[in-house]
Amino acid sequence: MTNLETLRTEFTKHFSVSPKHIFRAPGRVNLIGEHTDYNDGFVLPIAIDRAMLIAARKRNDRIVRMVALDLREAQAEFSLDAPIERVEKNKWSNYVRGVAWAMQARGLLLSGVDLMMHGDVPIGSGLSSSAALEVCTATMFREMSELEISKLEIVRLCQRAENEFVGVKSGIMDQFISALAQTDSALLIDCRDLSYQNVTLPHGVTFVVCDTSKRRGLVDSEYNTRRAECEQAAKFFGVKALRDVSFDRFERSEKDLPPMVAKRARHVVTENARVLQAVEAAKQNDLTTFGKLMNASHESLRDDYQVSCAELDTMVEIARQQPGCLGARLTGAGFGGCTVNLVEDKSVDAFVANVAREYQRQTGLTPQVYACHAMAGAGKLA
Ligand code: GLA
């Protein structure tokens, strides 16, 4: 059974009535442009063929009843008429609560719903399962409550839910790509003014995701520290965000910054430039350059931004030894999770088999390795 059929069947069993609609929002992999979004910079993600689905039916009252199919049908509920608060038990439900909170805080009137969620974005692996759930929830509420709000507004509300309700100070990339992705394209997003353009993916190659199976530890506190260091650097340069600092300007002042802050700034300044170069390379179908930029991004994240870990570095090293691999880098926040690899189409099958075997041999961990296809952003499936 497909995920869609499973969800429809299970919803019907649980609520004794079929769902009215099923919504989908994808996870993502970022091709290049890491830790640049909260510096008002550039990112280049794609939405992947792994997604969160929500089946829903409107209720006549203002109660939201939730069932998480993948968590042994864990259940939770809340009222849209009472103040919506974060819970410690059934933490998974905080994403739905947070989105409802942000939408109501914006003055939108929501309908009560019965909903069931089911997805195949692995949790904690850096493929943005939480953003997928938030965007899916907002898309569902928009339709079920007949609201006139744009996708960009959904993106902003979901980021607010994540930042202020769930309490993770992430940037805007993950919610953005989950809501606005286009099939077969990456999105170049300018995280300052939120303008974006489709970038057709290069031909003859596939982006392969390698999940190290090392779940991200420490990520929230380290993430917040990096953000603070970037803000410190921006303050030093007297600019709003590191996006405004050119490489020349950075180099002239590098020695005057505290060494650690200088390293963080170097990553952000060079990474922003790499994103724009990668977009040009993609337009020319210059795969070699695209791959080299991915490699340089990894080195910068490992040495200057210091968000890699032994498992990610091992995965990248193994990947680069494979025939047909043009570039490999960690993707997402770091400290575990996934790498993204640019692989020639004809080498993909061997790459998948060899990397999985070799990584397991070297680390004792069982990885997940899969070829990705760029999918469309959130919407109503049925
Ligand atoms: C996480 C955050 C994003 C972004 C990346 C790093 O995925 O949610 O906003 O900052 O890390 O590029």
Side-chain angles (χ1 to χ4, degrees):
M1 263 206 289
T2 63
N3 285 346
L4 183 72
E5 290 158 16
T6 306
L7 186 55
R8 197 192 301 281
T9 309
E10 294 301 321
F11 184 101
T12 308
K13 249 196 246 167
H14 188 95
F15 291 107
S16 307
V17 54
S18 59
K20 179 86 172 52
H21 294 301
I22 298 185
F23 303 87
R24 170 189 162 280
R28 65 99 186 91
V29 60
N30 189 18
L31 305 183
I32 194 160
E34 221 64 81
H35 291 277
T36 44
D37 60 353
Y38 53 83
N39 288 296
D40 279 4
F42 302 104
V43 292
L44 189 68
I46 57 172
I48 57 174
D49 38 2
R50 291 187 166 234
M52 178 54 77
L53 303 182
I54 292 182
R57 173 170 279 279
K58 202 166 163 170
R59 295 171 59 95
N60 294 326
D61 58 16
R62 300 252 299 153
I63 302 292
V64 176
R65 273 206 289 171
M66 304 164 278
V67 181
L69 190 55
D70 306 316
L71 301 174
R72 297 187 189 177
E73 300 198 25
Q75 298 178 39
E77 67 172 60
F78 66 97
S79 165
L80 292 162
D81 286 329
I84 303 176
E85 277 162 11
R86 217 168 66 176
V87 292
E88 284 307 313
K89 198 174 157 235
N90 289 319
K91 277 190 169 168
W92 55 272
S93 69
N94 282 331
Y95 297 102
V96 178
R97 291 173 205 267
V99 170
W101 167 82
M103 292 178 97
Q104 296 215 123
R106 148 86 171 68
L108 300 166
L109 185 65
L110 304 185
S111 308
V113 287
D114 287 335
L115 69 88
M116 181 179 273
M117 55 180 86
H118 172 43
D120 56 7
V121 191
I123 292 171
S125 71
L127 299 176
S128 288
S129 54
S130 51
L133 175 51
E134 288 155 4
V135 171
C136 201
T137 300
T139 306
M140 180 276 298
F141 273 128
R142 176 177 61 174
E143 169 90 17
M144 305 307 275
S145 316
E146 294 167 43
L147 305 171
E148 302 273 329
I149 50 168
S150 68
K151 288 195 169 191
L152 206 49
E153 191 139 10
I154 283 186
V155 172
R156 286 206 184 90
L157 289 167
C158 289
Q159 191 199 13
R160 183 161 185 224
E162 175 93 33
N163 290 174
E164 294 178 34
F165 191 91
V166 180
V168 179
K169 287 181 82 185
S170 59
I172 201 160
M173 164 169 72
D174 306 342
Q175 290 83 5
F176 201 111
I177 188 69
S178 185
L180 286 140
Q182 302 277 331
T183 317
D184 295 332
S185 296
L187 275 196
L188 168 64
I189 307 167
D190 179 335
C191 299
R192 167 158 283 169
D193 64 9
L194 301 187
S195 61
Y196 59 98
Q197 53 169 282
N198 288 337
V199 177
T200 307
L201 291 176
H203 309 299
V205 281
T206 300
F207 288 97
V208 180
V209 166
C210 300
D211 184 345
T212 60
S213 296
K214 163 90 170 34
R215 289 296 167 251
R216 297 172 304 164
L218 269 180
V219 68
D220 290 354
S221 63
E222 292 289 342
Y223 189 91
N224 290 344
T225 313
R226 297 297 181 285
R227 278 194 83 137
E229 287 162 342
C230 290
E231 281 159 22
Q232 195 183 334
K235 205 162 166 199
F236 169 89
F237 285 105
V239 294
K240 182 167 172 282
L242 279 177
R243 148 76 176 274
D244 300 308
V245 179
S246 67
F247 186 67
D248 285 351
R249 187 166 172 208
F250 165 74
E251 269 206 316
R252 279 199 305 274
S253 309
E254 187 177 5
K255 58 182 182 330
D256 302 323
L257 279 161
M260 186 79 96
V261 177
K263 272 157 100 71
R264 307 304 189 232
R266 173 181 281 273
H267 165 72
V268 175
V269 170
T270 57
E271 184 80 350
N272 269 328
R274 278 188 289 272
V275 177
L276 300 179
Q277 288 164 20
V279 169
E280 279 316 303
K283 286 182 181 160
Q284 316 283 331
N285 214 46
D286 178 353
L287 303 169
T288 312
T289 301
F290 200 106
K292 282 187 179 154
L293 290 162
M294 289 173 70
N295 289 340
S297 169
H298 183 79
E299 268 68 281
S300 179
L301 288 160
R302 183 191 63 200
D303 302 336
D304 287 336
Y305 219 61
Q306 296 181 297
V307 292
S308 191
C309 63
E311 291 82 357
L312 285 166
D313 291 341
T314 302
M315 189 68 98
V316 161
E317 287 313 314
I318 294 170
R320 288 181 187 169
Q321 286 157 14
Q322 306 305 314
C325 176
L326 302 169
R329 59 180 288 274
L330 75 84
T331 184
F335 301 105
C338 293
T339 66
V340 57
N341 306 269
L342 182 64
V343 183
E344 287 173 359
D345 283 344
K346 63 178 183 334
S347 305
V348 168
D349 291 346
F351 179 92
V352 170
N354 293 342
V355 169
R357 195 186 49 242
E358 189 54 23
Y359 178 80
Q360 181 148 20
R361 194 184 69 75
Q362 289 190 27
T363 63
L365 295 168
T366 307
Q368 300 294 323
V369 182
Y370 35 90
C372 281
H373 304 285
M375 303 293 281
K380 188 165 73 176
L381 274 188

